[in-house]
Structure formats: structure tokens, C-alpha cells
Amino acid sequence: NYLPYVIWGSNGARWWSFYWMGRICVFHLLLMLLLMSYLQAAFTDPGTVPEKWHQAISADESLASQFRLCRRTQMYRPPRSHYCMITKRLILNMDHFCPWVDNTIGYYNRKFFLLFLFYTILACSWTFFSFPTRPVWWNWMQRSIANLALLLDASLAVM
């Protein structure tokens, strides 16, 4: 969807017009933020249980009784940490393994993952609402509320 938006999105406007250049600049800013947050989410380590922490807990019997022992790694687990079956590690504050990012979402990269989702939604919304031409069905849908209701019912029936 990049080429239609950038190349054919001018809809007859001159490429040097402020409206067209502003639209393209905002789009590229959002695209840059999206890519940067994606790269940070993909390449930032989600965080593992430090060996020092495990040794400190195992040395003190009263602390060891407060934490659970991971069956796979035989390390004490901090609260909200889980073993990731894909990366084969104990992850701090593990959320999930994301196949799009190809990384486990954990303590250190959760912020970047949420920013990636936010910028993706923002860039898609900006592209949809600032694209100058509307789809063919746009005028048909605006004609009557009945058509909109039928479209909604049909889409719910398909689901």
C-alpha cells in the first residue's frame, strides 16, 4: 500500500503543494516511528532472571519458600515470570511470544511492542482517512441506512 499512497495519492494535486507534501511528511514520520519501534521490539532482549538473583534466593531458606521453582530451568521464578517454550528461557514479566516480532514480549521490550502496535494503528488510520479517493462502494453505502444494515448483517453472517 506504500506506492499507491505516495505516488498516486496526489489525486491531481501538484507534488509541491503544501497539502500533498504535508500528508506525505506525516505519513513518513509515522512510518519511521513504526519501523523504529518494530526494530526495538524485535531486537531488545525481553529479560531473563539474573543468576545473582537466583543465587541470593537459593542461599536464604526463608526467601526460597516465597518463590516458586521453575521445573524446566530449576531456577527460582520472580513474580509474573514464565518459561518460554520457544526461546527455552525463563522470561521476566513474560507476556507472550509474538511471531510477527519473532521475539518474546517481556519486561524490557513491552514498551516498544505497545508503541509498535500504536504506530501501526495510527499509520493505517492516517492512510485510510487521508487517501483522496474513496472506494467504489463508498457512494453506494452512503445512499441508505438500509444498505448499511444489510452489509452489517451479511458480514456478521459470514463470521
Side-chain angles (χ1 to χ4, degrees), residues 36-84:
M36 290 305 295
S37 59
Y38 171 79
L39 290 173
Q40 286 179 321
F43 293 113
T44 301
D45 185 44
T48 59
V49 177
E51 189 65 34
K52 276 184 164 178
W53 187 85
H54 172 69
Q55 290 171 357
I57 297 297
S58 59
D60 189 1
E61 192 63 38
S62 63
L63 282 175
S65 64
Q66 294 175 5
F67 296 101
R68 296 172 62 182
L69 193 64
C70 178
R71 286 179 274 147
R72 292 180 182 91
T73 60
Q74 299 303 319
M75 292 179 71
Y76 286 100
R77 293 183 353 184
R80 294 175 299 282
S81 65
H82 299 282
Y83 181 79
C84 180

Side-chain angles (χ1 to χ4, degrees), residues 71-155:
R71 286 179 274 147
R72 292 180 182 91
T73 60
Q74 299 303 319
M75 292 179 71
Y76 286 100
R77 293 183 353 184
R80 294 175 299 282
S81 65
H82 299 282
Y83 181 79
C84 180
M85 297 293 288
I86 297 167
T87 59
K88 309 278 192 258
R89 298 189 303 168
L90 191 60
I91 306 293
L92 286 175
N93 208 352
M94 180 181 163
D95 190 12
H96 68 286
F97 179 83
C98 182
W100 296 325
V101 176
D102 194 31
N103 198 359
T104 306
I105 307 305
Y107 183 77
Y108 292 114
N109 64 350
R110 177 174 288 140
K111 172 189 169 184
F112 304 124
F113 180 72
L114 291 175
L115 284 172
F116 166 64
L117 294 179
F118 175 71
Y119 290 135
T120 302
I121 291 169
L122 210 58
C124 289
S125 300
W126 176 262
T127 303
F128 179 76
F129 288 116
S130 70
F131 203 75
T133 58
R134 297 287 181 217
V136 174
W137 52 268
W138 189 263
N139 291 332
W140 172 81
M141 192 174 73
Q142 286 181 334
R143 285 189 212 147
S144 69
I145 300 295
N147 287 339
L148 183 61
L150 286 173
L151 185 64
L152 179 67
D153 289 343
S155 63

